[in-house]
Amino acid sequence: MKGKTINASEFLINSCEKFPNNTAISDFSGKLSYKDLFLKSFILSEQIRDELGDKQNVPISFPADKSIDSVIIIFSILLSGNIYVPYDRECGENRKISILNSIGNALTIMSKNKLDSEVEEKCKKIIYLDEVKINNADFSKCIEKAKTNLSSKISLDPAYIIFTSGSTGTPKGVTISHEGIIDYIHWACSEFKINESDVFASQAPFIFDNSTLDIYLSISNGAELYLAEPSLFTFPYKLVEQMNSKKV
């Protein structure tokens, strides 16, 4: 997109226009090109828009597993003009329900093949990611529609909400704007000099703020975001082997 970046999802739009066939993201289960990551995210974003009608800047929750599906959900929510709210599916039911209630519990996204039953029965609306199909979506038309959808957004719109641990009481949500992400990533790009041939490994869980560096630094440069298998972090030797095999 031309001009100043105002929405963090533009990092994906720009990179998929430049490098549609580059690998955008991979994990132990597979990989997606920039084109496919965008199309899956965009088609889901249109379903979100259909569910919410004219509403914008609505917090949307999802169980933030370290997976390709979670990244699709993140970009679909941003492309729809709304706010993503990741939560840990392994945390207690009371914490999850507290988070849902504090953000209005308007919509949750999850996969049927990996349900969070504690949350599912209490959600007002659910979109199941594995029911969203890209089929014969026209890439160019989807790109143009995505740009049109974002044309009324501003950089101070909220992008995501991260919740504190709640160790001193009720978990509290911290809201980060698109501008906060964009400024941070522009600084990181100037410092780390990432390009489209690099592979960037991601360790930070998506429920933590530092995951923004992993996601957006790689996506903004057309690089590959590699989601290292979480279990490997207790076995450093195996982790190093995997990093070497991926040429991280």
Side-chain angles (χ1 to χ4, degrees), residues 61 95-105 108 119 123:
S61 60
R95 174 179 168 84
K96 287 187 277 192
I97 299 308
S98 174
I99 290 172
L100 287 179
N101 289 339
S102 69
I103 63 173
N105 193 15
T108 297
V119 168
C123 291

Side-chain angles (χ1 to χ4, degrees), residues 31-226:
K31 62 183 181 180
L32 283 180
S33 67
Y34 271 91
K35 180 178 179 180
D36 286 341
L37 174 59
F38 168 75
L39 285 174
K40 286 177 178 287
S41 301
F42 175 74
I43 297 301
L44 179 55
S45 78
E46 290 293 273
Q47 188 164 343
I48 294 170
R49 287 165 61 88
D50 289 343
E51 286 286 345
L52 296 178
D54 295 330
K55 295 178 182 177
Q56 294 274 285
N57 294 327
V58 175
I60 300 173
S61 60
F62 69 99
D65 306 310
K66 197 73 175 179
S67 68
I68 290 174
D69 282 353
S70 289
V71 178
I72 293 170
I73 292 170
I74 286 170
F75 278 105
S76 71
I77 294 171
L78 296 180
L79 286 165
S80 74
N82 292 293
I83 310 161
Y84 67 89
V85 186
Y87 69 84
D88 182 1
R89 72 163 67 243
E90 302 301 327
C91 71
E93 180 179 358
N94 289 341
R95 174 179 168 84
K96 287 187 277 192
I97 299 308
S98 174
I99 290 172
L100 287 179
N101 289 339
S102 69
I103 63 173
N105 193 15
L107 181 63
T108 297
I109 304 174
M110 63 178 72
S111 295
K112 277 191 170 180
N113 63 6
K114 200 171 183 182
L115 290 175
D116 186 346
S117 56
E118 291 177 340
V119 168
E120 185 185 26
E121 62 187 25
K122 293 179 173 63
C123 291
K124 293 178 181 177
K125 290 183 180 180
I126 299 176
I127 293 176
Y128 295 102
L129 176 62
D130 32 8
E131 292 182 347
V132 178
K133 308 298 181 185
I134 63 174
N135 295 327
N136 297 317
D138 186 301
F139 179 57
S140 297
K141 289 182 179 178
C142 290
I143 287 283
E144 291 309 310
K145 181 66 162 55
K147 292 178 180 180
T148 299
N149 290 348
L150 296 175
S151 62
S152 63
K153 306 302 292 179
I154 62 172
S155 62
L156 291 177
D157 283 334
Y160 68 92
I161 300 173
I162 294 287
F163 276 80
T164 62
S165 65
S167 57
T168 58
T170 303
K172 297 175 179 62
V174 178
T175 303
I176 307 298
S177 69
H178 287 271
E179 186 169 73
I181 296 173
I182 292 162
D183 287 349
Y184 180 35
I185 296 307
H186 284 167
W187 167 82
C189 286
S190 68
E191 290 292 315
F192 298 115
K193 313 299 183 186
I194 303 297
N195 64 47
E196 71 275 12
S197 64
D198 289 322
V199 180
F200 195 96
S202 173
Q203 184 272 334
F206 293 145
I207 59 170
F208 293 138
D209 196 49
N210 200 51
S211 64
T212 58
L213 177 67
D214 301 349
I215 297 168
Y216 300 105
L217 181 58
S218 60
I219 296 296
S220 65
N221 288 284
E224 177 180 344
L225 175 64
Y226 175 63

Side-chain angles (χ1 to χ4, degrees), residues 10 22 25-26 64 74 85 162 187 205 219 244 248:
E10 291 178 58
N22 279 20
I25 184 167
S26 62
I74 286 170
V85 186
I162 294 287
W187 167 82
I219 296 296
N244 287 336
V248 172

